[in-house]
């Protein structure tokens, strides 16, 4: 299908869409309003030419349809939990954000924003976030958290690094390195350890996807960089304190003595509570957002209502959270929330025509992987920012991947038509 050029209001909406792609990563951490600036641009551009979104449904195709079915399952199960446990809409607020997926995907197909603006916004966001984090820690804060919390800050910074690496234009590696350094500095200043595994996966995939000499040479470069980073973290006392290695060691010692009142100990304790809760309520769980009620099975939580670790609001692990609060359906839904986008992006990347692992579909694959790995130590959908950013960026990258495929097929058709008979 040929893509007609945008005209009139469509061209204005296209420029607004470019602005929106820039604002999303550039401002999500650097302003207290997070996603609000992007939401305003999204709404304005949609109201400017709503008929283009309706026409774009034919371009969206099967990938967006699969994401829409996933969205319906997520919202449907949330409404069922609300009915079973007499919950309010506030308890399922983060799950309701899945509803924007079809809108965002159609918005991209209708107004065709350019991927380079998402990349530029990611670079600006990483640099701005690093500056704010440095100022916050220099001002006496023990950990950088900006307008959210330290863990969420590190999670979102990692996603911006994924966008920076895999949405890069050609010949922009110098700026990619600058942005990666900025992201690593911010993660160190946040003191979050939950992103380390996902960061390692990002560095590994980035190193192996470079067109530089041989695979062993790229792997050697990766090992060298990691060795330098580990050596610095272990030998510089201030850096060791900032990444909380000493605290982790103390937590392990306390756990060996039976004391779970620590950062690492509380996480292990919550995994045990989630497992026991799942066995007691395998079909329904205890209700979305009600993991604290499951913590009441611990004597310390029953005896001391003010105990802090009994009121964290979630399980600090995706699988534990969804299984304890929604039972078997929750586990299956979590597999769909990560598995369906992963399947969609793998298929889109295969049809993208990219000769290397880059582009919007590759970025989508790595964002799903990053969320899965971060979800080992964090409930990614228990926080408004991480939940909203996941559904937003998955929908946007899906739409961008679909449009990339259409544009490639259109270019090939034009090349065949112009070729001599």
């Amino acid at each position: 299908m040929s893509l007609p050029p945008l005209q009139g209001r469509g061209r204005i909406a296209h420029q607004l869409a470019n602005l929106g792609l820039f604002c999303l990563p550039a401002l999500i951490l650097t302003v207290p309003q997070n996603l609000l600036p992007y939401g305003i641009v999204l709404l304005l551009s949609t109201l400017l030419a709503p008929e283009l979104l309706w026409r774009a449904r034919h371009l969206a195709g099967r990938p967006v349809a699969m994401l829409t079915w996933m969205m319906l399952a997520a919202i449907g199960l949330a409404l069922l939990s609300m009915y079973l446990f007499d919950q309010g809409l506030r308890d399922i607020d983060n799950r309701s954000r899945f509803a924007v997926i079809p809108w965002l995907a159609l918005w991209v197909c209708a107004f065709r924003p350019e991927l380079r603006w998402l990349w530029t916004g990611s670079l600006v966001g990483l640099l701005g976030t690093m500056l704010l984090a440095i100022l916050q820690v220099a001002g006496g804060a023990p950990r950088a958290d900006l307008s959210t919390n330290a863990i969420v800050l590190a999670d979102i910074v990692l996603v911006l690094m994924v966008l920076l690496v895999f949405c890069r234009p050609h010949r922009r590696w110098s700026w990619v390195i600058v942005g990666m350094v900025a992201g690593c500095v911010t993660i160190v200043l946040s003191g979050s350890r939950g992103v380390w595994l996902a960061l390692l996966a990002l560095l590994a995939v980035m190193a192996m996807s470079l067109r530089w000499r041989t695979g062993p040479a790229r792997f050697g470069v990766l090992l060298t960089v990691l060795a330098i980073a580990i050596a610095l973290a272990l030998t510089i006392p201030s850096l060791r304190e900032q990444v909380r290695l000493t605290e982790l060691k103390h937590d392990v010692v306390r756990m060996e003595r039976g004391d779970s009142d620590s950062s690492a100990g509380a996480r292990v304790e919550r995994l045990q509570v989630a497992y026991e809760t799942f066995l007691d309520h395998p079909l329904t769980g205890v209700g979305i957002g009600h993991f604290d009620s499951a913590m009441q099975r611990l004597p310390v939580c029953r005896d001391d209502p003010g105990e802090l670790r009994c009121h964290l609001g979630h399980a600090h692990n995706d699988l534990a959270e969804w299984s304890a609060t929604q039972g078997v359906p929750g586990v299956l839904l979590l597999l769909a929330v990560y598995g369906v986008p992963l399947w969609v992006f793998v298929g889109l990347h295969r049809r993208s025509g990219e000769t290397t692992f880059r582009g919007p579909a590759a970025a989508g694959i790595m964002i799903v992987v990053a969320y899965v790995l971060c979800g080992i130590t964090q409930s990614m959908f228990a926080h408004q920012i991480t939940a909203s950013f996941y559904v937003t960026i998955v929908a946007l990258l899906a739409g961008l991947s679909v449009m990339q495929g259409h544009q490639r097929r259109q270019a090939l058709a034009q090349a065949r038509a112009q070729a001599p008979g």
Side-chain angles (χ1 to χ4, degrees):
M1 179 186 296
S2 177
L3 299 177
L6 295 173
Q7 297 178 346
R9 290 179 291 113
R11 294 182 65 181
I12 299 174
H14 169 74
Q15 297 301 328
L16 284 175
N18 285 334
L19 177 62
L21 277 198
F22 173 82
C23 289
L24 174 65
L27 302 181
I28 187 170
L29 293 173
T30 54
V31 300
Q33 292 78 17
N34 304 123
L35 290 164
L36 181 60
Y38 167 72
I40 293 174
V41 175
L42 171 69
L43 183 60
L44 288 176
S45 56
T46 300
L47 293 176
L48 188 62
E51 72 281 0
L52 294 183
L53 268 76
W54 177 250
R55 296 174 191 169
R57 70 190 189 280
H58 300 297
L59 295 174
R62 187 166 176 263
V64 176
M66 292 178 65
L67 293 177
T68 301
W69 282 112
M70 180 201 73
M71 173 271 293
L72 292 174
I75 294 178
L77 195 56
L79 292 174
L80 178 61
S81 178
M82 183 178 72
Y83 171 76
L84 292 176
F85 296 95
D86 195 25
Q87 296 174 271
L89 291 174
R90 183 183 182 89
D91 292 320
I92 64 169
D93 176 56
N94 287 342
R95 303 294 172 86
S96 67
R97 299 174 192 276
F98 280 85
V100 302
I101 287 179
W103 177 16
L104 297 178
L106 290 175
W107 179 79
V108 172
C109 294
F111 302 137
R112 309 171 204 168
E114 300 166 34
L115 183 63
R116 62 189 177 94
W117 289 106
L118 186 64
W119 180 84
T120 304
S122 300
L123 176 62
V124 171
L126 287 168
L127 294 176
T129 302
M130 179 189 68
L131 178 60
L132 293 175
I134 291 173
L135 292 175
Q136 186 175 32
V137 173
R143 300 171 64 183
D145 56 14
L146 303 190
S147 58
T148 176
N149 67 58
I151 298 174
V152 171
L153 171 64
D155 291 338
I156 298 298
V157 164
L158 181 71
V159 175
L160 296 185
M161 293 166 72
V162 170
L163 295 175
L164 183 77
V165 171
F166 297 102
C167 296
R168 67 188 185 276
H170 290 289
R171 300 177 181 178
R172 289 293 186 273
W173 272 111
S174 58
W175 285 111
V176 169
I177 294 171
V178 170
M180 290 290 288
V181 170
C184 289
V185 169
T186 305
I187 289 174
V188 169
L189 293 178
S190 74
S192 176
R193 301 176 301 234
V195 298
W196 289 359
L197 187 57
L199 179 58
L200 177 61
L202 171 60
L203 293 174
V205 175
M206 182 179 72
M208 299 308 292
S209 63
L210 293 178
R211 282 187 167 182
W212 184 73
R213 296 187 180 179
T214 63
R218 288 175 288 193
F219 188 66
V221 171
L222 174 64
L223 291 180
T224 301
V225 172
L226 292 178
I228 293 173
I230 293 172
L232 290 174
L234 293 177
T235 56
I236 301 177
S238 59
L239 184 59
R240 186 169 63 247
E241 290 296 327
Q242 191 63 48
V243 297
R244 300 164 64 216
L245 289 177
T246 304
E247 179 183 325
L248 179 60
K249 180 180 178 181
H250 292 163
D251 289 354
V252 172
V253 172
R254 292 172 64 178
M255 288 169 56
E256 291 174 347
R257 296 173 179 172
D259 181 4
S260 297
D261 191 11
S262 63
S263 177
R267 282 172 166 80
V268 174
E269 182 179 66
R270 299 176 90 74
L271 290 177
Q272 295 171 342
V273 169
Y275 176 70
E276 295 171 1
T277 303
F278 176 73
L279 293 181
D280 290 345
H281 307 278
L283 297 180
T284 62
V286 294
I288 295 175
H290 285 185
F291 188 82
D292 284 353
S293 64
M295 292 296 292
Q296 294 302 308
R297 66 174 55 243
L298 296 178
V300 65
C301 296
R302 293 195 300 269
D303 298 339
D304 184 4
E307 179 65 30
L308 180 62
R309 74 178 193 264
C310 300
H311 304 283
L312 298 179
H314 54 81
H316 265 297
N317 176 280
D318 270 342
L319 183 59
E321 174 78 16
W322 291 54
S323 62
T325 58
Q326 296 177 269
V328 173
V331 174
L332 297 177
L333 180 60
L334 180 63
L335 293 176
V337 164
Y338 288 140
V340 171
L342 186 62
W343 179 269
V344 166
F345 284 127
V346 168
L348 288 170
H349 180 67
R350 287 176 175 173
R351 298 189 296 272
S352 67
E354 293 283 358
T355 56
T356 58
F357 191 68
R358 62 187 295 273
I365 292 171
M366 286 307 300
I367 282 174
V368 174
V369 171
Y371 262 74
V372 169
L373 295 178
C374 289
I376 295 174
T377 58
Q378 176 65 20
S379 296
M380 302 300 287
F381 294 91
H383 298 281
Q384 177 262 331
I385 300 179
T386 48
S388 298
F389 198 43
Y390 180 79
V391 298
T392 299
I393 203 64
V394 162
L396 292 179
L397 290 174
L400 288 166
S401 301
V402 168
M403 295 311 298
Q404 182 188 55
H406 281 293
Q407 290 165 356
R408 175 174 174 268
R409 287 189 291 273
Q410 185 172 342
L412 289 174
Q414 291 176 350
R416 292 193 190 101
Q418 296 172 0

